């Protein structure tokens, strides 16, 4: 793999923004289902969410070497998780933008249709967060593969969705049981991933972005600290703070995810063997 | 049938002719090498210098083919060679992430990935791949084999190349592990290496 992190930045931005948008539209979808909030109050949320989703999808194109051929990415749906992700991201973004555009038409008869589109977008958004995790189930990328890594975007999107619901509804009281359980799992997985990275990064030859090891280590530590902030602010009902911290946590998590990728190529294997021989010689 | 590279470790002295021939025949842009030669130097007299010439392993279950969203990579049914089609590639680099052996290379000038294609144009004309033809020490060869008929003395692993079962790289190595202490902590490490043949 290329040792320059810059080509991972569009992917980190896309996956972070998609997760944030998925969580946001999930929150709006849950609120719409309760019929409690006045519909016009949801339009600003839909505007922000559709902008975030659209920008994320657009930025992902920057990753391609041949941007004019981007439509070819949908051809491999039968075998490629990346192709499936492209399909789902496309439908999710379209549904999210459509829901916002429809919401601008002040016709009460459209409410049912808008609700349907929002729930479709929410379903595809949550599915997108799952496919984001599955795309990186690659055999020797140890810090990427496994359910602990695959489920991170999914869990944080659910946490954000529930937090957005609570914020929009201005619900009183602390976090519900579902939120607490999700938080425990997400926090536990964040600790596991941090520990796996810490043990692997001892041998810097194993890391693609060896220069970013210290930064990634700090990133994981801050991510775990932010997790504490999520549950603390949930219990003292500071809903805006919870949403903001989850969003920051998602962005940080994705950056750490990409910078922590491992390398078992012949080049890194030979480097590891050289360094082991040198250590043996010193002994 | 499957085309395999066979690399005899003791015969290679690291001239990099294979890498140069590959770059020359395939007109790869500057700095892009489909075949690379790695060196594991000796130390304290217990180990010999080992050179490892690697390119794409044209695996049994190539992760790059499975990963590619635009069907730009294909495993040929006739001989198992994994071929990359530049006109179908979108430059997403997912094959680079999927490949554990660093075979797909990124070409910044074209915005595409590229990799060893076993010189299929030469094979189809009855010629050897450029790297094999150039190797005058006979370290690098290629064979078209039935998978069940691969000789047992061909090793699947070498220093620097791990055999991953569910991927099944199709490069084989001729290594005498009693002659070389190739891994630290090996129980044969006290044995002194013998001279090189031919």
């Amino acid at each position: 793999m290329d040792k320059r992190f810059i080509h991972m930045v569009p992917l980190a931005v896309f996956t972070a923004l998609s997760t944030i948008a998925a969580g946001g539209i999930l929150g709006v979808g849950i609120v719409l289902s309760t019929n409690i909030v006045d519909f016009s109050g949801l339009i600003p949320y839909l505007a922000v969410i559709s902008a975030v989703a659209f920008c994320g999808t657009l930025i992902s194109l920057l990753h391609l070497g041949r941007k004019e051929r981007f439509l070819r990415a949908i051809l491999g749906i039968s075998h490629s998780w990346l192709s499936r992700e492209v399909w789902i991201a496309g439908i999710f973004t379209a549904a999210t933008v459509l829901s916002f555009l429809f919401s601008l038409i002040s016709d009460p008869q459209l409410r049912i249709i808008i609700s349907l589109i929002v729930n479709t977008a929410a379903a595809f958004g949550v599915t997108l967060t799952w496919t984001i995790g599955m795309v990186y189930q690659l055999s020797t990328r140890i810090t990427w593969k496994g359910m602990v890594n695959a489920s991170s975007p999914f869990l944080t999107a659910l946490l954000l969705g529930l937090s957005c619901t609570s914020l929009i509804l201005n619900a009183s009281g602390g976090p519900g049981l579902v939120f607490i359980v999700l938080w425990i799992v997400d926090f536990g997985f964040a600790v596991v991933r941090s520990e796996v990275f810490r043990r692997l990064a001892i041998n810097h030859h194993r890391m693609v972005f060896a220069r970013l090891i210290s930064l990634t280590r700090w990133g994981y530590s801050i991510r775990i600290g932010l997790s504490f902030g999520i549950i603390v602010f949930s219990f003292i009902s500071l809903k805006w703070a919870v949403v903001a911290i989850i969003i920051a946590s998602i962005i940080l998590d994705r950056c750490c995810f990409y910078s922590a990728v491992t390398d078992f190529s012949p080049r890194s294997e030979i480097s590891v063997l050289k360094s082991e021989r040198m250590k043996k010689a010193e002994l | 049938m499957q085309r395999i590279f066979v690399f005899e470790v003791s015969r290679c002295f690291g001239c990099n002719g294979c890498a140069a021939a590959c770059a020359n025949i395939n007109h790869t842009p500057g700095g892009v090498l489909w075949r690379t030669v790695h060196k594991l130097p000796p130390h304290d007299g217990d180990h010999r210098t080992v050179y490892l010439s690697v390119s794409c392993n044209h695996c049994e279950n190539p992760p790059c083919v499975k990963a590619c969203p635009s069907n730009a990579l294909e495993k040929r049914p006739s001989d198992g060679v994994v071929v990359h089609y530049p006109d179908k590639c979108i430059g997403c680099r997912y094959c680079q992430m999927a490949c554990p052996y660093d075979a797909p290379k990124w070409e910044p000038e074209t915005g595409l990935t590229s990799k060893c294609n076993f010189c299929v144009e030469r094979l189809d004309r009855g010629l050897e791949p450029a790297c094999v033809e150039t190797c005058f020490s006979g370290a690098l060869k290629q064979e078209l084999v039935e998978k069940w008929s691969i000789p047992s003395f061909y090793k699947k692993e070498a220093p620097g190349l791990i055999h991953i079962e569910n991927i099944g790289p199709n490069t084989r190595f001729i290594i005498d592990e009693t002659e070389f202490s190739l891994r630290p902590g090996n129980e044969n490490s006290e044995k002194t290496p013998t001279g090189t043949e031919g």
Side-chain angles (χ1 to χ4, degrees), chain A residues 1 7 63 65-66 69 72 76 79-80 135 140-141 265-266 274 277, chain B residues 41 66-71 86 89 91-94 97 102 110 160:
Chain A
M1 278 178 70
H7 77 89
H63 174 69
R66 288 294 183 94
R69 294 180 184 177
R72 286 198 62 88
H79 55 84
S80 169
V135 161
T140 52
R141 309 292 177 192
S265 67
K274 275 185 200 172
R277 284 188 174 187
Chain B
K66 187 166 182 265
C68 182
S70 63
N71 295 333
C89 182
C92 66
R93 302 188 183 187
Y94 192 38
M97 297 181 203
D102 206 26
T110 58

PDB file of all heavy atoms in Angstrom, chain A residues 1 7 63 65-66 69 72 76 79-80 135 140-141 265-266 274 277, chain B residues 41 66-71 86 89 91-94 97 102 110 160:
ATOM      1  N   MET A   1       0.826  -1.196   0.000  1.00  0.00           N
ATOM      2  CA  MET A   1       0.000   0.000   0.000  1.00  0.00           C
ATOM      3  C   MET A   1       0.861   1.246   0.000  1.00  0.00           C
ATOM      4  O   MET A   1       1.994   1.233   0.464  1.00  0.00           O
ATOM      5  CB  MET A   1      -0.880   0.030   1.253  1.00  0.00           C
ATOM      6  CG  MET A   1      -2.142  -0.819   1.122  1.00  0.00           C
ATOM      7  SD  MET A   1      -3.111  -0.820   2.615  1.00  0.00           S
ATOM      8  CE  MET A   1      -3.736   0.852   2.632  1.00  0.00           C
ATOM      9  N   HIS A   7      -4.051   9.882   0.620  1.00  0.00           N
ATOM     10  CA  HIS A   7      -5.055   9.240  -0.237  1.00  0.00           C
ATOM     11  C   HIS A   7      -6.147   8.551   0.573  1.00  0.00           C
ATOM     12  O   HIS A   7      -7.167   8.156   0.025  1.00  0.00           O
ATOM     13  CB  HIS A   7      -4.402   8.279  -1.243  1.00  0.00           C
ATOM     14  CG  HIS A   7      -3.973   6.968  -0.673  1.00  0.00           C
ATOM     15  ND1 HIS A   7      -4.800   5.872  -0.623  1.00  0.00           N
ATOM     16  CD2 HIS A   7      -2.800   6.569  -0.127  1.00  0.00           C
ATOM     17  CE1 HIS A   7      -4.163   4.861  -0.065  1.00  0.00           C
ATOM     18  NE2 HIS A   7      -2.949   5.258   0.226  1.00  0.00           N
ATOM     19  N   HIS A  63     -11.248  10.237  -4.036  1.00  0.00           N
ATOM     20  CA  HIS A  63     -10.334   9.121  -3.804  1.00  0.00           C
ATOM     21  C   HIS A  63      -9.975   8.394  -5.098  1.00  0.00           C
ATOM     22  O   HIS A  63      -8.929   7.754  -5.193  1.00  0.00           O
ATOM     23  CB  HIS A  63     -10.988   8.144  -2.815  1.00  0.00           C
ATOM     24  CG  HIS A  63     -10.213   6.893  -2.596  1.00  0.00           C
ATOM     25  ND1 HIS A  63      -9.010   6.876  -1.930  1.00  0.00           N
ATOM     26  CD2 HIS A  63     -10.458   5.610  -2.963  1.00  0.00           C
ATOM     27  CE1 HIS A  63      -8.548   5.645  -1.898  1.00  0.00           C
ATOM     28  NE2 HIS A  63      -9.409   4.866  -2.508  1.00  0.00           N
ATOM     29  N   GLY A  65      -8.789   7.487  -8.822  1.00  0.00           N
ATOM     30  CA  GLY A  65      -7.785   7.956  -9.764  1.00  0.00           C
ATOM     31  C   GLY A  65      -8.399   8.389 -11.076  1.00  0.00           C
ATOM     32  O   GLY A  65      -7.910   9.282 -11.748  1.00  0.00           O
ATOM     33  N   ARG A  66      -9.501   7.719 -11.430  1.00  0.00           N
ATOM     34  CA  ARG A  66     -10.217   8.068 -12.655  1.00  0.00           C
ATOM     35  C   ARG A  66     -11.655   8.408 -12.275  1.00  0.00           C
ATOM     36  O   ARG A  66     -12.548   7.570 -12.305  1.00  0.00           O
ATOM     37  CB  ARG A  66     -10.202   6.904 -13.649  1.00  0.00           C
ATOM     38  CG  ARG A  66      -8.859   6.666 -14.299  1.00  0.00           C
ATOM     39  CD  ARG A  66      -8.481   7.826 -15.193  1.00  0.00           C
ATOM     40  NE  ARG A  66      -7.235   7.584 -15.891  1.00  0.00           N
ATOM     41  CZ  ARG A  66      -7.148   7.066 -17.108  1.00  0.00           C
ATOM     42  NH1 ARG A  66      -8.239   6.735 -17.771  1.00  0.00           N
ATOM     43  NH2 ARG A  66      -5.971   6.885 -17.664  1.00  0.00           N
ATOM     44  N   ARG A  69     -14.806   7.658 -14.377  1.00  0.00           N
ATOM     45  CA  ARG A  69     -15.274   6.277 -14.512  1.00  0.00           C
ATOM     46  C   ARG A  69     -16.011   5.796 -13.261  1.00  0.00           C
ATOM     47  O   ARG A  69     -16.185   4.595 -13.076  1.00  0.00           O
ATOM     48  CB  ARG A  69     -14.080   5.339 -14.735  1.00  0.00           C
ATOM     49  CG  ARG A  69     -13.334   5.552 -16.041  1.00  0.00           C
ATOM     50  CD  ARG A  69     -12.194   4.553 -16.131  1.00  0.00           C
ATOM     51  NE  ARG A  69     -11.366   4.753 -17.302  1.00  0.00           N
ATOM     52  CZ  ARG A  69     -10.274   4.041 -17.569  1.00  0.00           C
ATOM     53  NH1 ARG A  69      -9.882   3.106 -16.737  1.00  0.00           N
ATOM     54  NH2 ARG A  69      -9.568   4.289 -18.654  1.00  0.00           N
ATOM     55  N   ARG A  72     -18.560   2.882 -12.970  1.00  0.00           N
ATOM     56  CA  ARG A  72     -18.142   1.481 -13.100  1.00  0.00           C
ATOM     57  C   ARG A  72     -18.086   0.796 -11.728  1.00  0.00           C
ATOM     58  O   ARG A  72     -18.083  -0.429 -11.651  1.00  0.00           O
ATOM     59  CB  ARG A  72     -16.753   1.395 -13.750  1.00  0.00           C
ATOM     60  CG  ARG A  72     -16.726   1.685 -15.239  1.00  0.00           C
ATOM     61  CD  ARG A  72     -15.435   1.138 -15.845  1.00  0.00           C
ATOM     62  NE  ARG A  72     -15.355  -0.298 -15.695  1.00  0.00           N
ATOM     63  CZ  ARG A  72     -15.856  -1.176 -16.548  1.00  0.00           C
ATOM     64  NH1 ARG A  72     -16.483  -0.757 -17.642  1.00  0.00           N
ATOM     65  NH2 ARG A  72     -15.728  -2.466 -16.328  1.00  0.00           N
ATOM     66  N   GLY A  76     -19.556  -4.437  -9.727  1.00  0.00           N
ATOM     67  CA  GLY A  76     -19.080  -5.642  -9.034  1.00  0.00           C
ATOM     68  C   GLY A  76     -19.937  -6.054  -7.850  1.00  0.00           C
ATOM     69  O   GLY A  76     -19.437  -6.654  -6.911  1.00  0.00           O
ATOM     70  N   HIS A  79     -19.753  -9.595  -6.032  1.00  0.00           N
ATOM     71  CA  HIS A  79     -18.613 -10.121  -5.286  1.00  0.00           C
ATOM     72  C   HIS A  79     -17.883  -9.079  -4.455  1.00  0.00           C
ATOM     73  O   HIS A  79     -17.092  -9.431  -3.586  1.00  0.00           O
ATOM     74  CB  HIS A  79     -17.609 -10.770  -6.256  1.00  0.00           C
ATOM     75  CG  HIS A  79     -17.155  -9.846  -7.341  1.00  0.00           C
ATOM     76  ND1 HIS A  79     -16.139  -8.933  -7.201  1.00  0.00           N
ATOM     77  CD2 HIS A  79     -17.598  -9.663  -8.606  1.00  0.00           C
ATOM     78  CE1 HIS A  79     -15.985  -8.240  -8.328  1.00  0.00           C
ATOM     79  NE2 HIS A  79     -16.857  -8.666  -9.191  1.00  0.00           N
ATOM     80  N   SER A  80     -18.124  -7.795  -4.687  1.00  0.00           N
ATOM     81  CA  SER A  80     -17.328  -6.762  -4.042  1.00  0.00           C
ATOM     82  C   SER A  80     -18.142  -5.972  -3.026  1.00  0.00           C
ATOM     83  O   SER A  80     -19.179  -5.382  -3.375  1.00  0.00           O
ATOM     84  CB  SER A  80     -16.763  -5.815  -5.099  1.00  0.00           C
ATOM     85  OG  SER A  80     -16.195  -4.668  -4.499  1.00  0.00           O
ATOM     86  N   VAL A 135     -16.566  -3.664   4.165  1.00  0.00           N
ATOM     87  CA  VAL A 135     -15.600  -3.365   3.091  1.00  0.00           C
ATOM     88  C   VAL A 135     -14.181  -3.641   3.559  1.00  0.00           C
ATOM     89  O   VAL A 135     -13.328  -4.077   2.785  1.00  0.00           O
ATOM     90  CB  VAL A 135     -15.746  -1.886   2.641  1.00  0.00           C
ATOM     91  CG1 VAL A 135     -14.508  -1.392   1.895  1.00  0.00           C
ATOM     92  CG2 VAL A 135     -16.975  -1.725   1.757  1.00  0.00           C
ATOM     93  N   THR A 140      -5.258  -9.709   5.884  1.00  0.00           N
ATOM     94  CA  THR A 140      -4.086  -9.408   6.702  1.00  0.00           C
ATOM     95  C   THR A 140      -4.117  -8.001   7.289  1.00  0.00           C
ATOM     96  O   THR A 140      -3.157  -7.581   7.926  1.00  0.00           O
ATOM     97  CB  THR A 140      -2.795  -9.556   5.888  1.00  0.00           C
ATOM     98  OG1 THR A 140      -2.909  -8.808   4.687  1.00  0.00           O
ATOM     99  CG2 THR A 140      -2.536 -11.009   5.574  1.00  0.00           C
ATOM    100  N   ARG A 141      -5.201  -7.302   7.100  1.00  0.00           N
ATOM    101  CA  ARG A 141      -5.309  -5.960   7.711  1.00  0.00           C
ATOM    102  C   ARG A 141      -5.933  -6.170   9.092  1.00  0.00           C
ATOM    103  O   ARG A 141      -7.126  -5.965   9.307  1.00  0.00           O
ATOM    104  CB  ARG A 141      -6.179  -5.034   6.846  1.00  0.00           C
ATOM    105  CG  ARG A 141      -5.776  -4.996   5.368  1.00  0.00           C
ATOM    106  CD  ARG A 141      -4.434  -4.345   5.156  1.00  0.00           C
ATOM    107  NE  ARG A 141      -4.053  -4.402   3.740  1.00  0.00           N
ATOM    108  CZ  ARG A 141      -2.854  -4.125   3.275  1.00  0.00           C
ATOM    109  NH1 ARG A 141      -1.884  -3.769   4.101  1.00  0.00           N
ATOM    110  NH2 ARG A 141      -2.612  -4.191   1.974  1.00  0.00           N
ATOM    111  N   SER A 265       3.092  -7.364   3.896  1.00  0.00           N
ATOM    112  CA  SER A 265       3.647  -7.563   2.564  1.00  0.00           C
ATOM    113  C   SER A 265       5.068  -8.120   2.687  1.00  0.00           C
ATOM    114  O   SER A 265       5.666  -8.077   3.770  1.00  0.00           O
ATOM    115  CB  SER A 265       3.682  -6.230   1.826  1.00  0.00           C
ATOM    116  OG  SER A 265       4.612  -5.369   2.455  1.00  0.00           O
ATOM    117  N   PRO A 266       5.634  -8.630   1.576  1.00  0.00           N
ATOM    118  CA  PRO A 266       7.028  -9.099   1.618  1.00  0.00           C
ATOM    119  C   PRO A 266       7.987  -8.030   2.130  1.00  0.00           C
ATOM    120  O   PRO A 266       8.912  -8.324   2.875  1.00  0.00           O
ATOM    121  CB  PRO A 266       7.314  -9.445   0.149  1.00  0.00           C
ATOM    122  CG  PRO A 266       5.997  -9.863  -0.388  1.00  0.00           C
ATOM    123  CD  PRO A 266       4.991  -8.984   0.289  1.00  0.00           C
ATOM    124  N   LYS A 274      14.759  -8.613   9.345  1.00  0.00           N
ATOM    125  CA  LYS A 274      16.032  -7.891   9.501  1.00  0.00           C
ATOM    126  C   LYS A 274      16.168  -7.368  10.913  1.00  0.00           C
ATOM    127  O   LYS A 274      17.223  -7.481  11.545  1.00  0.00           O
ATOM    128  CB  LYS A 274      16.077  -6.698   8.534  1.00  0.00           C
ATOM    129  CG  LYS A 274      16.541  -6.981   7.148  1.00  0.00           C
ATOM    130  CD  LYS A 274      16.633  -5.676   6.368  1.00  0.00           C
ATOM    131  CE  LYS A 274      16.624  -5.926   4.893  1.00  0.00           C
ATOM    132  NZ  LYS A 274      16.518  -4.717   4.089  1.00  0.00           N
ATOM    133  N   ARG A 277      16.863 -10.126  13.355  1.00  0.00           N
ATOM    134  CA  ARG A 277      18.256 -10.591  13.267  1.00  0.00           C
ATOM    135  C   ARG A 277      19.191  -9.610  13.952  1.00  0.00           C
ATOM    136  O   ARG A 277      20.145 -10.003  14.615  1.00  0.00           O
ATOM    137  CB  ARG A 277      18.650 -10.745  11.796  1.00  0.00           C
ATOM    138  CG  ARG A 277      18.082 -11.979  11.155  1.00  0.00           C
ATOM    139  CD  ARG A 277      18.654 -12.194   9.768  1.00  0.00           C
ATOM    140  NE  ARG A 277      18.227 -13.451   9.211  1.00  0.00           N
ATOM    141  CZ  ARG A 277      18.686 -13.954   8.080  1.00  0.00           C
ATOM    142  NH1 ARG A 277      19.602 -13.296   7.396  1.00  0.00           N
ATOM    143  NH2 ARG A 277      18.259 -15.104   7.628  1.00  0.00           N
TER     144      ARG A 277
ATOM    145  N   PRO B  41      19.930  -9.495   4.649  1.00  0.00           N
ATOM    146  CA  PRO B  41      21.382  -9.644   4.793  1.00  0.00           C
ATOM    147  C   PRO B  41      21.740 -10.626   5.900  1.00  0.00           C
ATOM    148  O   PRO B  41      20.943 -10.897   6.787  1.00  0.00           O
ATOM    149  CB  PRO B  41      21.841  -8.229   5.145  1.00  0.00           C
ATOM    150  CG  PRO B  41      20.657  -7.594   5.773  1.00  0.00           C
ATOM    151  CD  PRO B  41      19.445  -8.224   5.151  1.00  0.00           C
ATOM    152  N   LYS B  66     -11.834 -10.436  -6.012  1.00  0.00           N
ATOM    153  CA  LYS B  66     -13.065 -10.376  -5.220  1.00  0.00           C
ATOM    154  C   LYS B  66     -13.364  -8.933  -4.822  1.00  0.00           C
ATOM    155  O   LYS B  66     -14.511  -8.513  -4.758  1.00  0.00           O
ATOM    156  CB  LYS B  66     -12.894 -11.250  -3.990  1.00  0.00           C
ATOM    157  CG  LYS B  66     -14.132 -11.411  -3.158  1.00  0.00           C
ATOM    158  CD  LYS B  66     -13.984 -12.551  -2.156  1.00  0.00           C
ATOM    159  CE  LYS B  66     -15.272 -12.701  -1.385  1.00  0.00           C
ATOM    160  NZ  LYS B  66     -15.310 -12.011  -0.129  1.00  0.00           N
ATOM    161  N   ALA B  67     -12.318  -8.172  -4.548  1.00  0.00           N
ATOM    162  CA  ALA B  67     -12.508  -6.818  -4.043  1.00  0.00           C
ATOM    163  C   ALA B  67     -12.892  -5.816  -5.128  1.00  0.00           C
ATOM    164  O   ALA B  67     -13.635  -4.875  -4.870  1.00  0.00           O
ATOM    165  CB  ALA B  67     -11.232  -6.341  -3.352  1.00  0.00           C
ATOM    166  N   CYS B  68     -12.391  -6.020  -6.330  1.00  0.00           N
ATOM    167  CA  CYS B  68     -12.525  -4.989  -7.370  1.00  0.00           C
ATOM    168  C   CYS B  68     -13.980  -4.685  -7.687  1.00  0.00           C
ATOM    169  O   CYS B  68     -14.720  -5.577  -8.111  1.00  0.00           O
ATOM    170  CB  CYS B  68     -11.798  -5.424  -8.639  1.00  0.00           C
ATOM    171  SG  CYS B  68     -11.870  -4.176  -9.946  1.00  0.00           S
ATOM    172  N   PRO B  69     -14.409  -3.428  -7.513  1.00  0.00           N
ATOM    173  CA  PRO B  69     -15.819  -3.102  -7.763  1.00  0.00           C
ATOM    174  C   PRO B  69     -16.154  -2.919  -9.242  1.00  0.00           C
ATOM    175  O   PRO B  69     -17.319  -2.917  -9.607  1.00  0.00           O
ATOM    176  CB  PRO B  69     -16.005  -1.785  -7.004  1.00  0.00           C
ATOM    177  CG  PRO B  69     -14.666  -1.143  -7.046  1.00  0.00           C
ATOM    178  CD  PRO B  69     -13.675  -2.259  -7.009  1.00  0.00           C
ATOM    179  N   SER B  70     -15.126  -2.745 -10.092  1.00  0.00           N
ATOM    180  CA  SER B  70     -15.405  -2.446 -11.498  1.00  0.00           C
ATOM    181  C   SER B  70     -15.028  -3.596 -12.428  1.00  0.00           C
ATOM    182  O   SER B  70     -14.966  -3.410 -13.647  1.00  0.00           O
ATOM    183  CB  SER B  70     -14.643  -1.177 -11.907  1.00  0.00           C
ATOM    184  OG  SER B  70     -13.249  -1.395 -11.793  1.00  0.00           O
ATOM    185  N   ASN B  71     -14.802  -4.766 -11.858  1.00  0.00           N
ATOM    186  CA  ASN B  71     -14.450  -5.959 -12.652  1.00  0.00           C
ATOM    187  C   ASN B  71     -13.219  -5.734 -13.532  1.00  0.00           C
ATOM    188  O   ASN B  71     -13.153  -6.220 -14.661  1.00  0.00           O
ATOM    189  CB  ASN B  71     -15.637  -6.411 -13.517  1.00  0.00           C
ATOM    190  CG  ASN B  71     -16.817  -6.870 -12.673  1.00  0.00           C
ATOM    191  OD1 ASN B  71     -16.641  -7.319 -11.547  1.00  0.00           O
ATOM    192  ND2 ASN B  71     -18.013  -6.719 -13.209  1.00  0.00           N
ATOM    193  N   PRO B  86      -6.616  -2.210 -17.599  1.00  0.00           N
ATOM    194  CA  PRO B  86      -6.534  -0.782 -17.276  1.00  0.00           C
ATOM    195  C   PRO B  86      -7.740   0.023 -17.749  1.00  0.00           C
ATOM    196  O   PRO B  86      -8.121   1.002 -17.110  1.00  0.00           O
ATOM    197  CB  PRO B  86      -5.266  -0.319 -18.004  1.00  0.00           C
ATOM    198  CG  PRO B  86      -4.504  -1.548 -18.300  1.00  0.00           C
ATOM    199  CD  PRO B  86      -5.493  -2.660 -18.425  1.00  0.00           C
ATOM    200  N   CYS B  89     -10.364  -0.109 -15.048  1.00  0.00           N
ATOM    201  CA  CYS B  89      -9.977   0.293 -13.690  1.00  0.00           C
ATOM    202  C   CYS B  89     -10.417   1.720 -13.398  1.00  0.00           C
ATOM    203  O   CYS B  89     -10.323   2.601 -14.254  1.00  0.00           O
ATOM    204  CB  CYS B  89      -8.459   0.158 -13.555  1.00  0.00           C
ATOM    205  SG  CYS B  89      -7.816   0.572 -11.931  1.00  0.00           S
ATOM    206  N   GLY B  91      -9.285   3.195 -10.442  1.00  0.00           N
ATOM    207  CA  GLY B  91      -8.260   3.763  -9.564  1.00  0.00           C
ATOM    208  C   GLY B  91      -8.717   3.938  -8.128  1.00  0.00           C
ATOM    209  O   GLY B  91      -8.317   4.891  -7.466  1.00  0.00           O
ATOM    210  N   CYS B  92      -9.533   3.028  -7.630  1.00  0.00           N
ATOM    211  CA  CYS B  92     -10.014   3.136  -6.256  1.00  0.00           C
ATOM    212  C   CYS B  92      -9.008   2.581  -5.241  1.00  0.00           C
ATOM    213  O   CYS B  92      -9.137   2.823  -4.044  1.00  0.00           O
ATOM    214  CB  CYS B  92     -11.348   2.430  -6.083  1.00  0.00           C
ATOM    215  SG  CYS B  92     -11.273   0.637  -6.281  1.00  0.00           S
ATOM    216  N   ARG B  93      -8.034   1.793  -5.733  1.00  0.00           N
ATOM    217  CA  ARG B  93      -6.982   1.217  -4.891  1.00  0.00           C
ATOM    218  C   ARG B  93      -7.487   0.189  -3.877  1.00  0.00           C
ATOM    219  O   ARG B  93      -6.753  -0.154  -2.951  1.00  0.00           O
ATOM    220  CB  ARG B  93      -6.244   2.302  -4.115  1.00  0.00           C
ATOM    221  CG  ARG B  93      -5.589   3.364  -4.963  1.00  0.00           C
ATOM    222  CD  ARG B  93      -4.764   4.198  -4.058  1.00  0.00           C
ATOM    223  NE  ARG B  93      -4.149   5.296  -4.724  1.00  0.00           N
ATOM    224  CZ  ARG B  93      -3.276   6.094  -4.165  1.00  0.00           C
ATOM    225  NH1 ARG B  93      -2.916   5.907  -2.929  1.00  0.00           N
ATOM    226  NH2 ARG B  93      -2.754   7.082  -4.828  1.00  0.00           N
ATOM    227  N   TYR B  94      -8.678  -0.295  -4.061  1.00  0.00           N
ATOM    228  CA  TYR B  94      -9.185  -1.290  -3.127  1.00  0.00           C
ATOM    229  C   TYR B  94      -8.411  -2.599  -3.284  1.00  0.00           C
ATOM    230  O   TYR B  94      -8.212  -3.342  -2.321  1.00  0.00           O
ATOM    231  CB  TYR B  94     -10.676  -1.489  -3.364  1.00  0.00           C
ATOM    232  CG  TYR B  94     -11.400  -2.273  -2.299  1.00  0.00           C
ATOM    233  CD1 TYR B  94     -11.091  -2.136  -0.952  1.00  0.00           C
ATOM    234  CD2 TYR B  94     -12.420  -3.152  -2.640  1.00  0.00           C
ATOM    235  CE1 TYR B  94     -11.760  -2.867   0.021  1.00  0.00           C
ATOM    236  CE2 TYR B  94     -13.098  -3.874  -1.684  1.00  0.00           C
ATOM    237  CZ  TYR B  94     -12.770  -3.726  -0.354  1.00  0.00           C
ATOM    238  OH  TYR B  94     -13.438  -4.445   0.602  1.00  0.00           O
ATOM    239  N   MET B  97      -5.459  -2.501  -1.087  1.00  0.00           N
ATOM    240  CA  MET B  97      -5.766  -2.765   0.325  1.00  0.00           C
ATOM    241  C   MET B  97      -6.017  -4.256   0.539  1.00  0.00           C
ATOM    242  O   MET B  97      -5.665  -4.816   1.569  1.00  0.00           O
ATOM    243  CB  MET B  97      -7.018  -1.988   0.746  1.00  0.00           C
ATOM    244  CG  MET B  97      -6.891  -0.488   0.665  1.00  0.00           C
ATOM    245  SD  MET B  97      -8.405   0.281   1.197  1.00  0.00           S
ATOM    246  CE  MET B  97      -8.296   1.868   0.397  1.00  0.00           C
ATOM    247  N   ASP B 102       1.203  -6.900  -1.563  1.00  0.00           N
ATOM    248  CA  ASP B 102       1.636  -5.628  -2.143  1.00  0.00           C
ATOM    249  C   ASP B 102       1.856  -5.736  -3.646  1.00  0.00           C
ATOM    250  O   ASP B 102       2.753  -5.117  -4.207  1.00  0.00           O
ATOM    251  CB  ASP B 102       2.932  -5.161  -1.457  1.00  0.00           C
ATOM    252  CG  ASP B 102       3.087  -3.645  -1.516  1.00  0.00           C
ATOM    253  OD1 ASP B 102       2.054  -2.954  -1.620  1.00  0.00           O
ATOM    254  OD2 ASP B 102       4.236  -3.168  -1.488  1.00  0.00           O
ATOM    255  N   THR B 110      -1.105   7.870 -14.275  1.00  0.00           N
ATOM    256  CA  THR B 110      -2.301   7.424 -14.993  1.00  0.00           C
ATOM    257  C   THR B 110      -3.539   7.408 -14.097  1.00  0.00           C
ATOM    258  O   THR B 110      -4.659   7.315 -14.598  1.00  0.00           O
ATOM    259  CB  THR B 110      -2.102   6.008 -15.558  1.00  0.00           C
ATOM    260  OG1 THR B 110      -1.805   5.130 -14.462  1.00  0.00           O
ATOM    261  CG2 THR B 110      -0.962   5.972 -16.553  1.00  0.00           C
ATOM    262  N   GLY B 160       9.780 -13.687   4.071  1.00  0.00           N
ATOM    263  CA  GLY B 160       9.185 -12.522   3.435  1.00  0.00           C
ATOM    264  C   GLY B 160       7.879 -12.827   2.742  1.00  0.00           C
ATOM    265  O   GLY B 160       7.147 -11.909   2.374  1.00  0.00           O
TER     266      GLY B 160
END
